[in-house]
Amino acid sequence: MKLFNNIVRYYERSMVISLIIVFTLLIAASCNTKKAVDKELTLPFFNSAELTPEWIHKEDNDYKKIHQIPDFSLTNQDGEKITRKTYEGKIYVADFFFVTCPGICPILEKNMSKLQDKFKEDNDVLLLSHTVMPTKDSVPVLKQYAIDNEIDAKKWNLVTGDKKQIYNLARKAYFADEDFVKTQDEDAFVHTENFILIDKKGRIRGVYNGTLALDTERLIRHIEILKKEG
């Protein structure tokens, strides 16, 4: 009889332990389950310089941890202060250029101008170009560049300011400097063809080659998708 009772107690303890394990696994599984996102109708987020696209549902735990563009303070072609608040609640496209650039920058300007024309009457879409040669691209220089290229300050800000701040924005905020990812050389010149799409909450939603007409068209389509997010 004593042996029988011991066997019963053993099986009871085993059953309790098994139930605890199963219950724990179920809780863990429910916590780690990520809700499905329709990738055809939703743009991904980009949270690191590796630019790995991540589709994150609003109800996922990681949603509140999505990378955002930090605050900044720069000056535009009209001498006005431009900060993150200027773009708050707006979809915008950012890039990096300099006025005397003979290579990719004229092409970037041409394709940004396409965006300006496309969304001219759309108050929810703005543009932001940072000079990477702020010591030469002063406010008057940017103003003349804006006049020469028919840039509308209500739609498109050309900004200058502290070089360190601009370079930090390029590398650590917009993840625009691919060379820096490889070299980590802070003294290196920032020169990138990337257009970066930012949503209304300051999060990166797309990266495009601004020298390519096809990528510019893709960017336009993605802006329309973002507009439907609300």
Side-chain angles (χ1 to χ4, degrees), residues 40 71 81 122 145 190:
E40 295 295 323
D71 197 13
K81 185 178 179 181
D122 192 332
Y145 182 85
V190 170

Side-chain angles (χ1 to χ4, degrees), residues 39-106:
K39 295 182 180 180
E40 295 295 323
L41 301 175
T42 309
L43 298 182
F45 298 97
F46 295 85
N47 290 315
S48 70
E50 284 71 29
L51 296 177
T52 303
E54 299 179 57
W55 279 267
I56 304 173
H57 195 278
K58 290 182 179 181
E59 295 181 19
D60 287 348
N61 292 332
D62 291 338
Y63 191 78
K64 294 180 179 180
K65 303 175 185 177
I66 295 171
H67 172 79
Q68 291 180 298
I69 304 303
D71 197 13
F72 56 86
S73 181
L74 299 166
T75 306
N76 76 355
Q77 65 265 39
D78 290 330
E80 298 173 343
K81 185 178 179 181
I82 302 298
T83 68
R84 178 181 167 180
K85 192 171 182 61
T86 307
Y87 288 83
E88 196 172 79
K90 305 291 184 180
I91 295 169
Y92 72 97
V93 179
D95 77 338
F96 296 82
F97 82 113
F98 60 102
V99 168
T100 56
C101 168
I104 65 173
C105 295

Side-chain angles (χ1 to χ4, degrees), residues 108-118 149 156:
L108 296 179
E109 183 278 321
K110 177 183 176 182
N111 286 327
M112 272 289 207
S113 290
K114 286 183 180 178
L115 298 177
Q116 176 179 251
D117 293 341
K118 175 66 179 179
N149 292 284
W156 184 358

Side-chain angles (χ1 to χ4, degrees), residues 15 19 27 51 56 59 92 105 136 167 169 189 192 213:
M15 187 175 292
L19 288 172
I27 292 175
L51 296 177
I56 304 173
E59 295 181 19
Y92 72 97
C105 295
K136 291 187 177 181
Y167 276 49
L169 284 170
F189 184 64
T192 174

Side-chain angles (χ1 to χ4, degrees), residues 92-96 112 128-130 174 194-198:
Y92 72 97
V93 179
D95 77 338
F96 296 82
M112 272 289 207
L128 176 62
S129 292
H130 311 71
Y174 293 101
N194 286 345
F195 283 172
I196 304 97
L197 176 60
I198 311 298

Side-chain angles (χ1 to χ4, degrees), residues 178-191:
E178 295 173 6
D179 289 335
F180 182 71
V181 177
K182 303 170 186 175
T183 66
Q184 298 294 305
D185 182 4
E186 293 188 358
D187 294 325
F189 184 64
V190 170
H191 201 44

